[in-house]
Amino acid sequence: MATLRVGVIGDPVAHSLSPIFQQPAFDDLGIDARYERWHTPADQLPERIKSLRNPDAIGANITVPHKTAVMPLVDTISDLGQRIGAINTIINRDGQLHGDNTDVIGFQRSLLECRPAAERDHVLVLGAGGASRAIIAALADLGVASLTICNRTPARAEALLTDLQIPGATVLPWTDWDLMTAIRDHSVIVNATSIGWNDEQRVLDPALLDAFARTGLIVDLTYRDTPLLRDAAAAGIATLDGLPMLVYQGARSFELWTGRHAPVARMMAAAQQARHAG
Ligand code: ATR
């Protein structure tokens, strides 16, 4: 039988860590598959997705900026994928393509490792863009004690909550005063804005962290060492970056493609090693 094909579809994908931790998982389980980076500009997306129907393709991960654009190109979508309005996993079922969202479970699992009693947490999410959707749905489904969204454009946060059908969450505007009071009253802060991906911009002034409980957790969705994570660590606050979420979403995707239990520890070790290397 031919080697099976699977990969990550996005633009760009050159820096994706997915092949680095997915390939060892296939190898460890003795599955003859190659996980590749499939760089795909938007105009080539239909052709790329069509190729997933071939018998040697088992599926794909979908990353930025295609998580919503691929939805009309597949045959069926899980309830969760429809609710989030984005899919990050496609499974080829005998030529029929099924879309699912494993970002939600990936985030939940990484958060629960740090906060096993997350239902007691008061969670402040910064941002209401594309990346926030899966995070906010994940938190609401975990049943956190309270959920607050702070966004520069509050109407966007309101619309997101209505769309995801999440009642009872609070929306705050992005002012120093609102941020300061919210930081004092919450036990987990998640940065889901696009600020802080480079070192030039800080999402929160370090002085604001003085008001944050030292028993709390600060989460940044990138898997780099961001100014926010550095400031939090310097202030003695626990931090969580996006690497565990990335691995756990990938492990769930692996299980959907193969029907086998993912070797998660092996995948995590490979991802951590790659990050340290570069
Ligand atoms: P992504 O898919 O990465 O979430 P996005 O949909 O463009 O990207 O969302 C970016 C998020 O970062 C939004 O919440 C955005 O706030 P707005 O909804 O008001 O645009 C937030 N953001 C980006 N730059 C910001 C800035 N300089 N100050 C405050 N919030 C910012």
Side-chain angles (χ1 to χ4, degrees), residues 83 133 136-138 140-141 147 160-169:
R83 178 169 163 233
R133 294 182 67 90
I136 290 168
D141 291 356
L147 189 52
L160 187 153
L161 291 172
T162 307
D163 199 31
L164 291 174
Q165 296 178 17
I166 295 174

Side-chain angles (χ1 to χ4, degrees), residues 121-146:
D121 276 315
H122 297 271
V123 185
L124 172 64
V125 177
L126 307 176
S132 304
R133 294 182 67 90
I135 302 305
I136 290 168
L139 290 165
D141 291 356
L142 279 177
V144 294
S146 73

Side-chain angles (χ1 to χ4, degrees), residues 126-132 151-154 156 174 192-195 197 201:
L126 307 176
S132 304
N151 199 45
R152 182 177 57 178
T153 316
R156 204 172 173 201
W174 190 277
T193 70
S194 44
I195 312 170
W197 285 73
Q201 238 185 332

Side-chain angles (χ1 to χ4, degrees), residues 21-33:
F21 67 83
Q22 291 284 5
Q23 191 61 52
F26 286 103
D27 297 345
D28 272 18
L29 269 60
I31 301 170
D32 182 14

Side-chain angles (χ1 to χ4, degrees), residues 175-186:
T175 68
D176 283 349
W177 171 257
D178 286 292
L179 281 168
M180 197 177 73
T181 22
I183 285 167
R184 194 190 54 208
D185 294 342
H186 290 77

Side-chain angles (χ1 to χ4, degrees), residues 8 46 97 99 104 132 165 190 234 244 248:
V8 56
L97 300 182
V104 172
S132 304
Q165 296 178 17
V190 184
Y248 292 142

